[in-house]
Every structure is written in C-alpha cells, then in structure tokens.
Amino acid sequence: AAVLTRAVEVIAAAPRELSLAVAQVTAPPAPFVPEHLHFRPVVGVAVMWAGDPSDGPDAVAPLRVPAGAPMPTVDELAVQPYCAIQQWFDDGAPHGRRYHVRSEWLGDLDADAVDALVEDGATMTSPFNQVLLRPLGGAIGDVAGDATAFRYREARYMVTIIGAWEDGPEEPHTGWARRSWKRLRPWSIGGGYVNHLSADEGLARVREAYGPVTFDRLVELKRSYDPANVFHFNQNIDPHASETAPA
C-alpha cells in the first residue's frame, strides 16, 4: 500500500515528460531479481522519462528515494533506446498463455482505492496474474472527449486486471479478474478501454467503453460502411445496435 500510495503522489506532481506504470505481479526468477524475491508478490514501477536525459535523475528521484515508502529492492533505471522500452514487458505476456482481461477508466484515487488495489494483488490465483495501473492525462487530455472515438480523455488512470494461466480450467482465474475489476468500479468514470474488453462482456460494455454519444456516432458509420456487420470478430459495434439496445 505504501508503494502504491507513493506512486500516486508522484504521478499527481509529475511533469508530462515522466510516465509511470505500476504493476502488481509475481517476481520472475530473472537475473536482475534477488533470489529471495523469486516467485513472491511484488510491486513494480515502470518509468519513462522522455525529456532531456540530464534531467532524468532528478525527475525519478522521488521514486528511487521514496518518502513514506520502502526503498526499491531492484533499480534498473538507465538511459535506453525507445525500441528496448517497447519490449520491456514482452516476456510477461507470451503467446500461447490463456488470458482473461478486465479494465476500467478511473478518476482520482484515494486510500480506499489503494486498499482495493492491494486486495486485488493479494488474492491472485496464478503467478501469471497482473494488476496494472497506468496514469493518463498530459497530451491525451488536450483533445476534447467528443473529437475522436477515444472518449474518456479526462480519466486519471486506466486499470487493467489480467487473469492468466498456462492450461487447465479457466476458474478460478476468470472469477478473480471479475471480482478484482468490480472492486475498483466505484472509482470508474464510466467505461473501460475497448481493446481490453473480453468477448463475454457484451454490447453494454462496448457502449460503455465509447460512451453513448460516441457509440451512436460509430453505429452510424458502421451502417454506412459495413451494414452487414462483416467485421464482427472484435469488440463489435453492431450497425443496428441503437435500435436494439438502450443508451
């Protein structure tokens, strides 16, 4: 809880050049992880400073020496190529594993929200499960919410709940993902990230993900370009959705 709280404080005061993502995961047996942490639950903070490299150390100092939170056990911060940053998390989501994902756009987070996040991390059903908190804002919020299909530009965070397992039945992993997601819904600003919607969430969640006004605009476009709904193997916008579902 102390690490999550400190990360939220840093995020609130961060300049645009500093991006963070907070992950509750199980520590892998990787060379950079101390052996006593292998296969144990940890909180990781991924950091990217996109400004002048000489300003980077000062920008990330509140995370390296975090007031009110434990000192980091592992510190891998360094100047890296952008392509390397894009590959940071590839090993954590390999092809062939089974996944059930839930997500939500969140507003400001308080102590109760942090407690809910901690509970999600403490009840994981698989060493591959993840709870990801991504701060938003910055340039995303410079564009009006009704200007594009990406609606929730006022969101402060996106939370992604990932139930993941190698084989066997989907329960208890899908159940954990749903319960963890519901635990954070009180801080929702109205919807979730469309690319993270699961197939079983239905039309109502697709509508939520876009917001009712944007969704209706997209339905009109779908009627014009794909009235037969040929492109439907996705988080589908049915061309007749407005006729069959309430706003």
Side-chain angles (χ1 to χ4, degrees), residues 20-239:
L20 307 179
V22 185
Q24 293 185 83
V25 297
T26 300
F32 66 90
V33 178
E35 188 173 354
H36 72 279
L37 289 179
H38 289 184
F39 306 109
R40 293 189 61 189
V42 296
V43 180
V45 183
V47 184
M48 189 176 79
W49 170 254
D52 189 316
S54 63
D55 296 330
D58 288 340
V60 301
L63 294 166
R64 293 183 127 160
V65 186
M71 289 289 291
T73 303
V74 177
D75 185 342
E76 291 285 297
L77 293 180
V79 177
Q80 299 183 46
Y82 186 73
C83 288
I85 293 171
Q86 289 296 303
Q87 299 171 23
W88 273 355
F89 308 116
D90 289 359
D91 291 343
H95 179 71
R97 192 173 285 168
R98 302 181 69 188
Y99 300 95
H100 184 85
V101 180
R102 294 291 171 116
S103 104
E104 198 74 21
W105 302 118
L106 305 179
D108 290 323
L109 302 183
D110 55 18
D112 289 339
V114 170
D115 289 343
L117 286 163
V118 170
E119 180 68 14
D120 292 344
T123 55
M124 289 181 178
T125 56
S126 163
F128 307 122
N129 288 8
Q130 301 177 33
V131 179
L132 308 179
L133 187 68
R134 296 180 175 93
L136 303 173
I140 294 173
D142 289 344
V143 179
D146 60 356
T148 74
F150 187 85
R151 163 63 185 87
Y152 290 101
R153 293 176 177 274
E154 73 275 25
R156 297 298 304 274
Y157 301 90
M158 178 174 69
V159 67
T160 307
I161 311 291
I162 305 172
W165 64 103
E166 295 282 9
D167 50 34
E170 63 180 30
E171 288 292 351
H173 314 298
T174 56
W176 169 81
R178 287 191 293 268
R179 288 190 299 273
S180 297
W181 165 71
K182 288 180 180 178
R183 195 175 285 122
L184 290 162
R185 286 277 277 179
W187 293 272
S188 171
I189 64 166
Y193 181 37
V194 65
N195 284 347
H196 288 173
L197 295 185
S198 294
D200 65 347
E201 294 191 64
L203 176 62
R205 275 293 283 167
V206 176
R207 187 183 291 270
E208 276 190 8
Y210 288 112
V213 175
T214 299
F215 181 84
D216 286 344
R217 290 174 64 190
L218 292 171
V219 168
E220 289 301 317
L221 287 170
K222 192 68 179 287
R223 287 175 181 167
S224 297
Y225 290 98
D226 183 21
N229 203 21
V230 173
F231 296 102
H232 63 275
F233 290 108
N234 50 23
Q235 294 83 356
N236 187 231
I237 296 175
D238 190 309

